[in-house]
Amino acid sequence: MPILATPTPGPLLLTPTDHTLIMIDHQSQMAFATHSIDATNLRTNAALVAHAAAGFGVSTILTTVAEKSFSGPIFEEIKDAFPTAEVTDRTSMNTWEDANVIKRVNAIGKDRLVLAGLWTGVCIVGPALSALAQGFEVYFITDACGDVSVEAHERAVARMIQAGARPMTSLQYLLELQRDWARTETYEMTTGVAKKFGGAYGLGIIYAKTMFGASEGSHAA
């Protein structure tokens, strides 16, 4: 008997309410030595992720390492998305070994995590493998992460995939949360984030709207 298809999303797709986003160590000192992605793209992608999460009301944890003594403040683009959010500073390279971060994870109480940060091979691999070992589902946003070399980033990505974590990109994250242009309550926010941080895709939205009054889906001008 053939499988009967239904118009329903698969369970591995993210929704705004089913996960916690943890943005880790998007800081100046960490970015200086990041060479797997240029700083402009890194900041833009991190901003896209942060503004998407803020717009959709995703439970989000922001964390830094040695902010005052070495690494500097979190990117302004992230603070702009979460102007009143607590930023948890740590001494541990592995975020998952910080008791204050774990307290926040447990207080939110969601079993699915999305990670992004610097560096991929240390500050993302550490919590990814640790959370997986404790039974959490883990996703990570590859282009909102970076490492000291392309090799270091790619080996970290491979290591996490082998352990069961699921990779995605920043624009994919935004559009997966929206997923249907008929969702009018978040349409303007989603396209607004895309226009500001979505690169060529955002330019396309601006062009289509300006020149033809065009909109995605059923959103007629």
Side-chain angles (χ1 to χ4, degrees), residues 4 11 18 23 25-26 35 47 50 76 80 93 122 166 170 173-175 179 186-187 191 199 202 214-215 219:
L4 181 64
D18 73 355
M23 301 195 75
D25 303 351
H26 287 102
H35 296 294
E76 281 298 320
D80 287 346
M93 287 181 279
V122 181
R166 302 182 179 109
S170 54
Y173 180 71
L174 169 67
L175 297 181
R179 215 163 61 231
T186 52
Y187 173 79
T191 55
S215 301
H219 297 269

Side-chain angles (χ1 to χ4, degrees), residues 31-59:
F32 292 157
T34 297
H35 296 294
S36 63
I37 182 172
D38 71 79
T40 300
N41 285 337
L42 173 64
R43 292 178 68 177
T44 299
N45 295 340
L48 194 156
V49 170
H51 284 266
F56 280 101
V58 174
S59 56

Side-chain angles (χ1 to χ4, degrees), residues 37-119:
I37 182 172
D38 71 79
T40 300
N41 285 337
L42 173 64
R43 292 178 68 177
T44 299
N45 295 340
L48 194 156
V49 170
H51 284 266
F56 280 101
V58 174
S59 56
T60 302
I61 296 172
L62 307 180
T63 181
T64 55
V65 63
E67 176 187 357
K68 302 298 184 184
S69 61
F70 186 75
S71 299
I74 199 167
F75 291 173
E76 281 298 320
E77 294 90 341
I78 297 174
K79 284 295 292 181
D80 287 346
F82 299 102
T84 62
E86 173 188 355
V87 180
T88 300
D89 196 49
R90 318 177 321 277
T91 60
S92 62
M93 287 181 279
N94 180 5
T95 300
W96 208 258
E97 295 180 46
D98 183 87
N100 290 324
V101 173
I102 295 306
K103 182 178 179 181
R104 295 181 67 183
V105 171
N106 289 334
I108 294 169
K110 294 179 180 176
D111 298 339
R112 179 175 279 181
L113 307 175
V114 177
L115 308 178
L118 306 176
W119 295 320

Side-chain angles (χ1 to χ4, degrees), residues 69-211:
S69 61
F70 186 75
S71 299
I74 199 167
F75 291 173
E76 281 298 320
E77 294 90 341
I78 297 174
K79 284 295 292 181
D80 287 346
F82 299 102
T84 62
E86 173 188 355
V87 180
T88 300
D89 196 49
R90 318 177 321 277
T91 60
S92 62
M93 287 181 279
N94 180 5
T95 300
W96 208 258
E97 295 180 46
D98 183 87
N100 290 324
V101 173
I102 295 306
K103 182 178 179 181
R104 295 181 67 183
V105 171
N106 289 334
I108 294 169
K110 294 179 180 176
D111 298 339
R112 179 175 279 181
L113 307 175
V114 177
L115 308 178
L118 306 176
W119 295 320
T120 323
V122 181
C123 303
I124 300 302
V125 161
L129 299 186
S130 301
L132 285 167
Q134 294 179 17
F136 287 82
E137 279 187 86
V138 176
Y139 295 68
F140 61 100
I141 303 175
T142 56
D143 63 351
C145 296
D147 214 318
V148 296
S149 67
V150 173
E151 175 75 9
H153 176 75
E154 289 181 350
R155 295 293 72 74
V157 167
R159 186 178 180 189
M160 289 187 285
I161 292 172
Q162 289 168 357
R166 302 182 179 109
M168 64 191 312
T169 66
S170 54
L171 187 57
Q172 182 182 357
Y173 180 71
L174 169 67
L175 297 181
E176 192 160 320
L177 296 183
Q178 176 67 27
R179 215 163 61 231
D180 188 340
W181 295 120
R183 293 175 178 169
T184 56
E185 68 276 9
T186 52
Y187 173 79
E188 293 296 339
M189 182 277 297
T190 297
T191 55
V193 171
K195 285 189 286 187
K196 189 171 184 179
F197 303 112
Y201 173 57
L203 287 175
I205 295 174
I206 294 169
Y207 177 82
K209 182 69 172 178
T210 303
M211 299 300 292

